[in-house]
Amino acid sequence: MSKVFEGNLNGEGLKIGIAIARFNEFISLRLLEGAMDCLRRHGVADDDISVVWVPGAFDIPPVAKRMGDSGKFDAVVCLGAIIRGATPHFDYVAAEAAKGIALAAMQTGVPATFGVVTADSLDQAIERAGSKSGNRGWDAARSALELADLYSRID
Ligand code: INI
């Protein structure tokens, strides 16, 4: 008989960190609202949520690593918005944010989920921050809850 492991979405008692970039704050704030809504609806207490602001998405990985290493969090939700401009800057920031968040999760053993919107335009970002394409902050928070529970079951 095989054993199947799946995380559930019960957030009661979980300690959740949120690392969020201030750049494009208009979008980031919508992502934060989505993440908070998801965590609360799944039973995470407000006192168990810590929100850490950083300047931009490039700066999220070291903070996610630090939060993971602290042992104080069951998962870290990473939120930000990177919007393409006229130069290749977008590509560097987006690549480092994505790679760095993955690395933080690998190195700390604490799930770090990717709620960073990468968009070609402000309209595309708005669509992913609580309008017609959902809310990436909500999605990243849900994944954090699932992974936190899954890790505890695997352990
Ligand atoms: N940071 C973002 O979060 N989004 C962006 O769109 C962005 N752009 O386009 O420049 C951005 N840049 C700042 C970067 O994340 C760092 O804060 C900065 O380089 C200092 O380390």
Side-chain angles (χ1 to χ4, degrees), residues 21-24 54-59 80-85 89-90 93:
R22 192 173 288 112
F23 208 102
N24 295 316
V54 300
F58 184 88
D59 313 308
I82 313 170
I83 301 175
R84 194 181 290 281
H89 193 71
F90 168 97
V93 174

Side-chain angles (χ1 to χ4, degrees), residues 108-133:
T108 62
V110 174
T113 59
F114 191 68
V116 178
V117 168
T118 55
D120 288 331
S121 65
L122 183 59
D123 279 354
Q124 271 188 1
I126 290 169
E127 283 174 12
R128 288 155 182 78
S131 57
K132 73 180 185 192
S133 294

Side-chain angles (χ1 to χ4, degrees), residues 22-86:
R22 192 173 288 112
F23 208 102
N24 295 316
E25 191 180 38
F26 174 78
I27 302 294
S28 302
L29 283 172
R30 305 285 97 69
L31 299 174
L32 180 60
E33 281 171 10
M36 294 294 290
D37 179 56
C38 175
L39 297 175
R40 287 175 178 139
R41 280 170 191 259
H42 290 93
V44 181
D46 273 17
D47 283 349
D48 289 335
I49 303 172
S50 300
V51 180
V52 179
W53 287 90
V54 300
F58 184 88
D59 313 308
I60 292 174
V63 169
K65 164 91 163 64
R66 225 176 162 97
M67 292 172 83
D69 281 342
S70 74
K72 293 178 181 161
F73 302 103
D74 297 295
V76 178
V77 181
C78 300
L79 304 177
I82 313 170
I83 301 175
R84 194 181 290 281

